[in-house]
Amino acid sequence: MKKKVLSILLSAAMVAAMVSGCGSKDEGSSSADSADKTEASSDDAAASDATYEGTIKIGVVGPFSGSSAMVGDTEKKGVELAAKQINENGGINSMTIELIEEDDQQDPKTAVSAINKLVSSDEVVAAVGTVNSSCTLAMMDVTENNEIPLVTPISSGVAITDPSNSYIVRLQASDKLQAKAITEYAINDLGYKNIAVMFQNDDFGAGGKDVVVETLKDAGIEPLAVEAFDSSATDMSAQLLKIKDLNPEAIIMWTMYGCGATIAKQCDQLGIDCDLMGGGGLTNAKLYELGGESAVGILNTQTFFPDKEKASETAGAFIDAYETEYGETPDSNAAMSYDAMMVLAEGLKAATPDMKADDIMAGMKAVKDMPLATGTITIDENGDANRDILIIRLCEGGTYELVK
């Protein structure tokens, strides 16, 4: 693959996978089947008129088993570190946060069962989760109907922060921000006009693809091709052969690291000489492990880069604390999960002692210019965290460099 990007190589190597956003083994449907979306009774919800003393129960949902277990592991570690620090510093007005963790197995139906248990049986006052957009979309039906604030650290699907849902906050940069950023980078920084688009055919992929195509057309550029593939696909040669004949300068692919590695390898095999780029879902140690040298040069968006030399004071403190606690470098998933718990804590403080859902949400949406691990965060009226988007590049050996 040709290397068209001149960038400043940073010495920081990313030891752990950085993952953003949201592919799922069952994301072909936007949420679980309606029969599986049994709503927990609002009478059992934690958002009651009770006064809380001693312990505040917070649910944590993520893929803690299966193919995305590595992602769920760093999500959990980030939330746990934040909760530990909050408790060690006096808790929420002297109340201790208790985390109750449930595995969604990267499956929307399982995610619904998990959040129903947390709401109806465990009586959590709020929840953090999850990774995959389809799982988060499925859970939102339950949390909204039961007025339980939900903070998603990782899910980037455009539909998640729909204004009609009053009980969702997201720390991840939405696909709208990420897809626009990488497309504008291709157009404005690299000067490309011949751009093809590939996407995995689910909520995550289709949402990102729509933004890429819209951004191209806004710049007066018609995409050379727009090709879909299944998120479990292991052969994209049919789509790539169509694209090859069009002589692309770049392929923007909205997918996760597994399919990204396959596309990179097959581009080399088919003699397609162009830049490959996409969203944060490409950032993972396995991208290089699976794609090898074919994946070197892939560009993608990110919200966090663990470089202690250039990190802010808050980010540097997070990196140090994470390395001390777990003996490894944090990835973007861990950082955004840490920030998610910290933003939720602001909501909990504002809602003390009654912990009413509307007060928790108001407290989170009042967050403005808060210095956190992934940057200075402001939560907008729809629940999205406004943030800058980084562009990073995969290097030899699986390390990364910051491009922009």
Side-chain angles (χ1 to χ4, degrees), residues 3-15:
K3 314 301 187 292
K4 292 188 176 180
V5 182
L6 295 177
S7 51
I8 301 172
L9 179 61
L10 302 180
S11 59
M14 302 186 74
V15 177

Side-chain angles (χ1 to χ4, degrees), residues 81-91 325:
L81 178 60
K84 178 182 178 181
Q85 291 180 349
I86 293 166
N87 288 338
E88 288 177 346
N89 286 279
E325 187 74 16

Side-chain angles (χ1 to χ4, degrees), residues 76-85 318 321-322 325-326 338:
K76 182 165 59 174
K77 286 176 177 175
V79 174
E80 288 176 350
L81 178 60
K84 178 182 178 181
Q85 291 180 349
F318 162 72
Y322 192 95
E325 187 74 16
Y326 303 115
Y338 175 90

